[in-house]
């Protein structure tokens, strides 16, 4: 019998503690479960949508984390403000960051609606005398942009420009960068392709992604010479940890996203009394639950959090807005033409754009191909390229044509790592800087046995790309 793509889910993961008391939350096993209208597991539930499949669930999860500190004298004290953990789908390129991160969306919300730092934003206006720190507020955007080339096809000229951004110093800006930035407050620019950046797909209802208003303000201040080279005082050790975690997660495009979706921009998700020293910023407005009252034959949770309303958050409320199951959404988000489509720009209608290249790689360079090419970069391949990914339509390559196949094969996708992090990667050779570059980010550990999507076209992908015939299968 063929392997079941619908699997019964009996656990959402596990928790462990290290010897020093640190808590480890181990997420689910990447399973998806279909069920019938009576709630019984089904081995053949239909998967007919990319995002919202009725009668399905997966083992992503979220919920509160509380703690009790035992002091040296034996006294116990509950931690004042509990945390919240989210366990979601994998990041297949963990060392390349998003231009707009989950931290950027959260920070923008807290500045504009919760008066987090009035030196930056006050009375509905970004403060013209504020000087963002280059290393903390601006350079991460430039570096993230420079890393996109390892996960998506870019023309040579664009790659060179991205490299320039990644290497740029605080005083090194030598072109009119604001002419290339998509203004988040200009609806018209949301439908324009090149030369405006970022050049990836936007939130639902927006053709292209823009940086947050805070990011746009920081870049504009830098372009006008209003910046600092001294990192500002941190918000606090707990908030710094929040930033570190959220910086590695996906911000917009929310359609719906990966770790979280648009609700990160809703002030009702958070505690409003954050100025209380026992609370602090970024705390989830969670509902107090008495687990001792839970009964096996009765529902324990209710409707829970609803966006734009002050309902407290219950376990699972953050995950419930994500794709069901996550696998079908990930599979579909290779490249697309924009929605809504431009009625005037023929390039926009013809070119294919990526959704989340920093976390959902589209085109990658494999370490195996680099080795076969004497250390030089080869032609890239599609990240998702197993048997069942071939298509007569150039707009549909780089993904499984049958959604079921992704549920069976998601664990075969390789991971993109920087060269020196790869076991056995050669050291730098000053005489051959283009061979085995120390700044190469290459795919490793792919478990695809047959490459049906085959090689990717150089430069930008289009709806009329050349299609490569799948290579002959290797003999056993």
């Amino acid at each position: 019998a063929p392997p079941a793509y619908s699997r019964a889910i009996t656990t959402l993961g596990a928790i462990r503690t290290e010897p020093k008391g640190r808590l480890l939350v181990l997420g689910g096993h990447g399973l998806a479960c279909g069920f019938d209208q009576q709630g019984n597991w089904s081995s053949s539930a239909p998967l007919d949508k990319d995002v919202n499949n009725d009668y399905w669930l997966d083992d992503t999860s979220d919920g509160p984390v509380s703690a009790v500190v035992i002091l040296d004298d034996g006294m116990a004290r509950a931690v004042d403000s509990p945390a919240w953990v989210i366990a979601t789908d994998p990041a297949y390129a963990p060392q390349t960051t998003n231009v707009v991160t989950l931290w950027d969306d959260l920070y923008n919300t807290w500045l504009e609606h919760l008066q987090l730092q009035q030196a930056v934003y006050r009375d509905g206006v970004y403060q013209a005398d504020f000087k963002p720190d280059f290393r903390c507020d601006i350079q991460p955007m430039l570096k993230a942009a420079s890393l996109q080339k390892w996960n998506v096809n870019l023309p040579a000229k664009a790659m060179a420009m991205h490299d320039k951004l990644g290497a740029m110093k605080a005083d090194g800006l030598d072109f009119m960068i604001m002419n290339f930035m998509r203004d988040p407050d200009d609806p018209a620019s949301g439908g324009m392709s090149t030369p405006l950046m970022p050049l990836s797909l936007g939130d639902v209802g927006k053709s292209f992604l823009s940086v947050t208003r805070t990011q746009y303000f920081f870049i504009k201040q830098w372009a006008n010479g209003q910046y600092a080279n001294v990192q500002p005082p941190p918000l606090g050790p707990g908030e710094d940890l929040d930033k570190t975690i959220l910086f590695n997660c996906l911000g917009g495009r929310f359609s719906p996203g990966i770790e979280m979706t648009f609700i990160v921009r809703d002030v009702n998700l958070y505690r409003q009394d954050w100025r209380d020293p026992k609370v602090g910023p970024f705390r989830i407005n969670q509902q107090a639950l008495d687990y001792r009252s839970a009964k096996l034959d009765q529902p324990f949770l209710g409707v829970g959090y609803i966006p734009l309303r002050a309902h407290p958050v219950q376990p699972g409320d953050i995950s419930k807005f994500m794709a069901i199951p996550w696998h079908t959404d990930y599979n579909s988000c290779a490249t697309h033409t924009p929605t809504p489509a431009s009625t005037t720009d023929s390039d926009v209608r013809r070119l294919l754009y990526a959704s989340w290249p920093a976390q959902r790689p589209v085109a990658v360079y494999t370490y195996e191909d680099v080795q076969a090419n004497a250390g030089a970069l080869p032609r890239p391949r599609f990240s998702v390229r197993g048997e069942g990914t071939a298509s007569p339509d150039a707009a549909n390559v780089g993904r499984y044509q049958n959604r079921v196949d992704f549920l069976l094969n998601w664990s075969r996708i390789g991971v993109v790592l920087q060269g020196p992090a790869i076991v056995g990667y050669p050291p730098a050779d000053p005489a051959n800087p283009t061979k085995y570059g120390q700044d190469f980010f290459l795919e490793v550990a792919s478990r695809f046995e047959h490459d049906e999507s085959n090689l990717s076209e150089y430069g930008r992908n289009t709806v009329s790309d050349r299609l490569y015939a799948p290579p002959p299968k290797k003999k056993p």
Side-chain angles (χ1 to χ4, degrees):
Y5 61 90
S6 171
R7 306 277 296 279
I9 294 174
T10 59
T11 178
L12 295 179
I15 56 174
R16 301 282 188 271
T17 53
E18 292 183 326
K20 293 186 177 181
R22 287 176 292 194
L23 180 67
L24 300 178
V25 178
L26 309 176
H29 297 165
L31 302 182
C33 176
F35 52 93
D36 60 25
Q37 295 187 31
Q38 286 71 46
N40 300 310
W41 169 75
S42 169
S43 63
S44 57
L47 273 174
D48 50 12
K49 296 182 176 66
D50 290 330
V51 177
N52 296 318
N53 286 282
D54 293 335
Y55 306 111
W56 277 87
L57 55 86
D58 58 35
D59 59 2
T60 59
S61 61
D62 68 275
V65 179
S66 57
V68 174
V69 177
I70 308 298
L71 304 176
D72 290 340
D73 61 3
M75 295 289 290
R77 177 180 173 180
V79 174
D80 291 322
S81 189
W84 202 271
V85 65
I86 304 171
T88 182
D89 46 304
Y92 289 96
Q95 292 177 302
T96 57
T97 52
N98 301 283
V99 175
V100 181
T101 71
L102 200 55
W103 163 257
D104 293 315
D105 268 307
L106 176 139
Y107 184 54
N108 185 89
T109 298
W110 276 77
L111 282 178
E112 294 188 355
H113 301 288
L114 291 166
Q115 298 80 49
L116 178 66
Q117 292 175 319
Q118 296 193 48
V120 183
Y121 185 91
R122 184 173 66 253
D123 299 327
V125 179
Y126 282 96
Q127 300 301 298
D129 60 349
F130 178 78
K131 294 183 177 182
D133 175 65
F134 177 78
R135 189 173 70 87
C136 180
D137 299 323
I138 298 160
Q139 194 174 43
M141 283 185 274
L142 306 180
K143 186 65 175 177
S146 74
L147 294 176
Q148 304 302 300
K149 69 178 184 179
W150 299 108
N151 299 338
V152 68
N153 280 332
L154 290 175
K157 184 177 180 180
M159 291 176 69
M161 192 63 203
H162 282 68
D163 288 341
K164 179 177 180 177
L165 288 176
M168 192 165 288
K169 306 297 183 184
D171 59 355
L173 185 60
D174 59 0
F175 67 99
M176 303 295 288
I177 192 171
M178 299 313 296
N179 290 344
F180 299 89
M181 295 295 298
R182 187 171 289 107
D183 185 346
D185 288 323
D186 179 10
S189 73
M192 295 175 62
S193 177
T194 52
L196 298 182
M197 299 292 151
L199 199 57
S200 54
L201 297 172
D203 289 351
V204 172
K206 296 182 179 179
S207 299
F208 294 102
L209 181 68
S210 65
V211 295
T212 67
R213 282 186 290 272
T214 305
Q215 289 177 296
Y216 190 83
F217 168 68
F218 286 166
I219 289 283
K220 190 173 183 178
Q221 291 293 87
W222 174 52
N224 291 332
Q226 285 280 100
Y227 67 92
N229 267 316
V230 179
Q231 188 170 2
L235 292 165
E239 288 72 40
D240 266 357
L241 183 58
D242 288 334
K243 180 177 180 179
T244 299
I245 297 298
L246 297 174
F247 182 79
N248 289 287
C249 299
L250 175 77
R253 127 184 183 103
F254 290 141
S255 182
I258 293 184
E259 294 90 1
M260 286 183 67
T261 187
F262 62 91
I263 60 173
V264 72
R265 302 169 182 163
D266 179 19
V267 296
N268 296 288
L269 187 67
Y270 311 104
R271 289 188 61 168
Q272 308 292 302
D273 58 345
W274 64 272
R275 291 183 179 84
D276 184 333
K278 294 183 178 181
V279 180
F282 317 143
R283 299 303 96 189
I284 297 295
N285 179 33
Q286 58 185 266
Q287 181 173 336
L289 297 171
D290 181 5
Y291 293 95
R292 294 170 298 182
S293 66
K295 297 180 180 179
L296 286 175
D297 59 347
Q298 295 180 16
F300 180 63
L301 301 177
V303 173
Y305 163 77
I306 299 174
L308 306 181
R309 300 182 185 180
H311 294 193
V313 183
Q314 297 180 352
D317 274 353
I318 292 176
S319 303
K320 73 184 182 184
F321 295 97
M322 307 310 295
I324 299 292
W326 68 263
H327 313 69
T328 53
D329 187 32
Y330 187 99
N331 181 59
S332 72
C333 285
T335 53
H336 302 277
T337 53
T339 303
S342 171
T343 58
T344 58
D345 190 336
S346 60
D347 274 351
V348 171
R349 297 195 301 270
R350 182 177 63 87
L351 292 173
L352 299 170
Y353 299 85
S355 295
W356 316 308
Q359 283 180 249
R360 198 291 189 200
V362 177
V364 297
Y365 301 97
T366 76
Y367 182 41
E368 185 178 8
D369 284 344
V370 168
Q371 289 176 303
N373 200 37
L377 290 178
R379 183 187 289 270
R381 297 179 184 270
F382 287 101
S383 171
V384 179
R385 56 183 184 272
E387 188 170 355
T389 60
S391 171
D393 183 354
N396 285 330
V397 294
R399 74 204 78 190
Y400 282 98
Q401 306 308 306
N402 186 336
R403 298 180 183 91
V404 166
D405 288 335
F406 189 87
L407 269 68
L408 296 171
N409 293 289
W410 65 268
S411 61
R412 295 179 181 272
I413 301 172
V415 177
V416 177
L417 297 176
Q418 189 171 4
I422 299 171
V423 175
Y425 196 78
D429 181 359
N432 293 290
T434 62
K435 302 292 182 69
Y436 292 108
Q438 302 302 290
D439 59 349
F440 285 4
F441 286 76
L442 309 174
E443 183 204 73
V444 294
S446 170
R447 295 173 53 239
F448 292 123
E449 297 175 358
H450 186 59
D451 183 355
E452 281 209 359
S453 276
N454 204 8
L455 302 176
S456 171
E457 281 286 82
Y458 282 118
R460 294 293 308 282
N461 290 130
T462 74
V463 295
S464 56
D465 274 353
R466 172 187 173 186
L467 292 172
Y468 292 85
K473 291 186 178 181
K474 296 179 181 179
K475 295 182 179 180

